[in-house]
Structure formats: structure tokens, C-alpha cells
Amino acid sequence: MEPVQHLEFDEKAIEGLELILHEFWILRAANPAEYQLIREREKVLRRYLDDKFGLLLIVHQHFIKLEKIPVTPEEWMGLGTFIEKRDYILFSYAMAFLEDKSVGEQFLLSELAEEISHYYGEGEGVDWTIYTHRKSLIRTIKTMTDLSLMKTVDGKIQQFDHDQEQEVLYETTIYSKYFIRSFPKDLTKFKNWQELLHEDWNDHQEDERRKRVYRQLFFSPGLHRNSAGDADFTYLRTFRNRMIEDIEKHSRFKLKLYKNTALLTSAEPNYRYDYFPDTKAVTDIILHLSHYLYENRSSYTPLETGDLLMTAGDFDQLLSNVKEKYGSGWAKKYREAAIDAIRNDCLAAMRSWMMVEIDEDSSMIYIRPLLRLLAGDYPDDYIRKGGTHEK
């Protein structure tokens, strides 16, 4: 029986939008209540996602999935459980292996490993006697089972860590047939990922600018003005009042617009999302870095886009100054760490929050305006006590 459709974008529709924006998919068997909620708001959700984002909502009898296609792929948009490039290669080969299996068909770990070795071919192939290669396969399979692309029938993949002869019995699921999205034409016809993204926009030429802006705001930490005539940022400024009203009506976010950057904020934390600042020790350093730049803003001349341009040496000196002023309160790991180690951790975290960009050719560092929206300093009582850290 078809669910009764609610045609108003009510509180449950907002909840449904959060679910499909955050989750890769909603499996009916695992989350029947969430599946039913979205089914009952399907029409209003589908209309809103098509109008504002230009995205396809797939409603299947076994799952619900939103095809999330970013404006620009970013490093942090990958699978969080994967560490190396090899993980993605193994994942692709494993998906090709499942493609030839029928739903419910069982297979052994050794069969999958042998097939992957065959796909990999000669040269830079895989060798299951090598520990790091086995660890990569373990990460791949655990990710696939977590995504319900296959399920474990008997055995434990963790034992493959130290025993390459370890056997595990798996079974394919209905979901493995729907993981990879449908493409507008044969993938071999595309020369690179840029062509693939361009083809996607061919289907969304109407109101493309609005859809680009909504995708960037909801899928990324922020949206930067990249040039004086940045069309996306100009659109955002022009329609800011309309967008503020729309976003607050259809989500729990608020749109904040500044001279060179824009972002969505939330007054109440939601367990589904990652927030900045978080509780990681490196975040303290980033907040102190922001505060130091603000206190010494007369020493830095921003570019037209609000970016601060630095060499690697400039950035190391900046970190040294920040460590000298604030380092006594940092976690022990960073109090005792060399500047290059602190730099690597800071840049990695800042890149994941779109607070920095690095020109790979020149190694120049662009500190983006998003960094300087939040800053951190020590409380007065800490300073009065001499700024010492006992831990």
C-alpha cells in the first residue's frame, strides 16, 4: 500500500532532508522508521531537491538514496575508512567481482582475493604475502560490509591480518547492484572527471547557478569568493535574503554571509554532522593560529579574495610564533613536537575544513578567509596563573 503523502514541508520533512543529505542511503530493512518517514514526504523532498540542488532522489522498495554530486570533488569527500590509493583500487575490483554475482550468492574470501589479483595484473599488482596489502584488503571488505554491499556468513576478516590463508564466507546483497550510480553514457567515453561533471550539468542548465550554490553550501564547510567576478558568490550576494529565508524554512541551518566567504551554521549540535571547532588537539592550534593572525592583522596584506599568501617558510615561522605564545596549553604531543610535525597536522586538518589551499607546483600556501571566522584564546584565569599546563 502506498504511504499517505504529506504535501507540506513540515518538521518531519526537515528531518527527512537531513537524513538523505547525511546518509549514503537509507536501508528499509535496517531503518524502517526512517525509510517510512521519507516515503511519506517523498513528493515535497523530491521537488525541493530537484529545484534547489538538481539532484535525483531514488526511492526503491529496499532503500532510499540521494545521488550526491558535488560541484568540485575534494580530498575529504572520499571514504573515510580508506587510507591509501590502493584501497580504492581494491574496492573497484571487488565491486566488479560482485557485479558478476547474483543476489544471495555466496563466495569465499580466497575467491575474491584471487579475482582481485587477476584484475590487478602484472607490474604494480598485489601480493597477499605483504602485510600492508592484506591490511588494505581488510579495510576494503570492512567498508563494503558496513555499506551492506555484502554480508559475512561465517568467519572473521580480521584474522586475514596475520594469516593469508584465512577463509571467510560472504554473501552478496541486493544493494551491491545499486551502489554505483548510473552515468549519462559509457564511462570509457570520458577522458577525465572534469568531463564527467560537465556532462552532469548538461541536464541541469536551468537555474544551474542556484543549484551550484546550494550544493556548495550543503556539501562543503563553506563557499569562498575565488575572484572579483566569482559568479556563484555574486549570485549568493544578490539573492541572500531569499536564500536565508528558504534555508531556515527547509532545514535547521542558518546562512552566514561575509565579504569573501559564506557558510551554514547550526545553533544546536546534531550527532549526524561534524562541527568546527571539535575536540581534537590540533583544533586548539588552529584556533590559536586564527587569533594570532587577527591580533597581528596589520602585518599581513590579504589578496583581493581575502586569502593570505605565504611560503612554507612563512607558515613555519607563523607556527613558531603561535607555539611560543600559546604552546604551554597545548596537548603534550604538540608541546613536544617539532614545527614540521605540527605543520603537517595543521595543514591536513585545515584542508579538510577548506581553511587552506596549497599550490602543489609552487608549494605556496593560501590561508582562506574561513579560518579567520573563529578564533581561540586562553581565559583570564589561565593567563593570571602563568599559562602553565600540568598534563
Side-chain angles (χ1 to χ4, degrees):
M1 185 174 66
E2 284 293 312
V4 177
Q5 287 293 320
H6 296 255
L7 302 180
E8 295 294 326
F9 210 103
D10 57 7
E11 189 66 24
K12 287 192 174 181
I14 293 175
E15 174 72 10
L17 182 64
E18 284 190 351
L19 283 168
I20 55 184
L21 284 174
H22 179 70
E23 302 291 346
F24 178 77
W25 47 21
I26 309 296
L27 305 184
R28 185 176 188 176
N31 299 289
E34 294 179 353
Y35 179 92
Q36 183 66 18
L37 182 150
I38 297 171
R39 285 286 279 120
E40 292 174 356
R41 271 73 182 173
E42 178 184 345
K43 288 186 177 180
V44 293
L45 288 169
R46 188 185 296 279
R47 184 167 59 244
Y48 186 73
L49 288 163
D50 179 63
D51 180 47
K52 304 299 183 182
F53 296 82
L55 295 176
L56 175 63
L57 179 65
I58 300 172
V59 177
H60 187 276
Q61 63 173 323
H62 294 296
F63 65 88
I64 294 174
K65 177 186 178 187
L66 178 67
E67 294 285 20
K68 306 179 189 71
I69 305 171
V71 174
T72 303
E74 304 285 352
E75 290 181 18
W76 44 267
M77 290 181 177
L79 292 166
T81 52
F82 285 177
I83 298 174
E84 302 176 25
K85 177 181 177 181
R86 185 191 305 111
D87 299 351
Y88 289 96
I89 297 174
L90 297 183
F91 184 88
S92 300
Y93 290 152
M95 288 301 300
F97 174 82
L98 293 184
E99 188 67 24
D100 293 332
K101 301 291 181 183
S102 58
V103 175
E105 184 175 349
Q106 296 185 348
F107 60 91
L108 293 169
L109 172 61
S110 59
E111 297 177 57
L112 175 60
E114 182 180 353
E115 193 71 8
I116 289 175
S117 298
H118 173 73
Y119 282 129
Y120 234 118
E122 301 296 328
E124 297 182 6
V126 289
D127 182 349
W128 303 127
T129 65
I130 300 176
Y131 176 75
T132 55
H133 290 197
R134 296 200 305 275
K135 290 291 288 185
S136 190
L137 183 60
I138 290 172
R139 287 193 295 270
T140 299
I141 291 179
K142 289 181 68 175
T143 299
M144 295 178 73
T145 54
D146 288 345
L147 287 168
S148 298
L149 302 175
M150 56 195 238
K151 64 180 181 181
T152 305
V153 177
D154 186 46
K156 295 181 179 180
I157 184 62
Q158 289 82 356
Q159 295 179 8
F160 186 67
D161 189 322
H162 58 271
D163 180 9
Q164 69 185 78
E165 302 299 326
Q166 175 65 30
E167 280 291 17
V168 185
L169 181 63
Y170 294 104
E171 183 177 299
T172 60
T173 69
I174 183 68
Y175 313 115
S176 65
K177 306 302 180 183
Y178 298 92
F179 177 82
I180 299 176
R181 75 179 182 92
S182 299
F183 294 97
K185 59 184 182 183
D186 190 334
L187 278 177
T188 60
K189 304 298 183 183
F190 298 101
K191 296 179 181 178
N192 48 51
W193 62 264
Q194 289 91 342
E195 286 190 1
L196 186 59
L197 281 180
H198 179 74
E199 183 71 21
D200 174 66
W201 284 114
N202 286 339
D203 297 330
H204 302 288
Q205 291 181 3
E206 183 180 354
D207 301 320
E208 176 184 340
R209 189 66 56 196
R210 178 179 69 227
K211 294 167 182 175
R212 287 175 55 87
V213 170
Y214 266 82
R215 290 192 197 184
Q216 290 178 89
L217 286 173
F218 277 83
F219 294 169
S220 303
L223 189 159
H224 291 294
R225 183 171 74 99
N226 293 313
S227 65
D230 189 315
D232 289 351
F233 208 82
T234 299
Y235 176 94
L236 183 53
R237 279 182 169 172
T238 304
F239 297 101
R240 61 176 296 176
N241 292 334
R242 186 184 303 177
M243 291 190 65
I244 287 172
E245 181 181 354
D246 178 75
I247 289 172
E248 291 185 8
K249 179 181 178 182
H250 294 92
S251 75
R252 298 188 177 95
F253 294 115
K254 292 185 179 297
L255 172 62
K256 301 294 184 182
L257 178 61
Y258 301 90
K259 180 180 179 182
N260 294 300
T261 192
L263 72 160
L264 298 182
T265 65
S266 176
E268 297 294 331
N270 186 316
Y271 72 93
R272 294 190 183 105
Y273 303 118
D274 294 325
Y275 291 91
F276 186 90
D278 53 29
T279 58
K280 296 178 181 177
V282 70
T283 302
D284 292 343
I285 301 176
I286 295 172
L287 290 170
H288 288 149
L289 179 64
S290 176
H291 192 268
Y292 184 90
L293 288 172
Y294 175 76
E295 283 190 322
N296 297 274
R297 55 193 179 279
S298 60
S299 301
Y300 300 94
T301 303
L303 303 177
E304 183 183 20
T305 56
D307 296 343
L308 297 179
L309 181 59
M310 297 185 180
T311 65
D314 293 335
F315 190 76
D316 281 357
Q317 184 58 56
L318 173 62
L319 279 179
S320 295
N321 296 341
V322 172
K323 184 177 184 181
E324 181 178 356
K325 181 171 183 178
Y326 299 103
S328 63
W330 292 355
K332 182 179 180 181
K333 170 185 175 180
Y334 292 114
R335 293 202 311 271
E336 299 177 352
I339 289 299
D340 60 343
I342 300 174
R343 179 220 310 134
N344 293 338
D345 285 2
C346 276
L347 289 179
M350 290 166 70
R351 288 179 81 163
S352 70
W353 287 104
M354 294 180 66
M355 294 177 175
V356 70
E357 284 189 10
I358 302 174
D359 187 312
E360 301 299 339
D361 294 327
S362 65
S363 298
M364 296 297 288
I365 298 171
Y366 292 79
I367 297 180
R368 312 233 59 187
L370 198 57
L371 168 70
R372 305 195 297 280
L373 296 184
L374 287 174
D377 197 4
Y378 291 125
D380 291 340
D381 59 346
Y382 177 86
I383 297 172
R384 285 196 303 269
K385 292 175 182 177
T388 57
H389 194 296
E390 299 301 327
K391 294 181 181 179

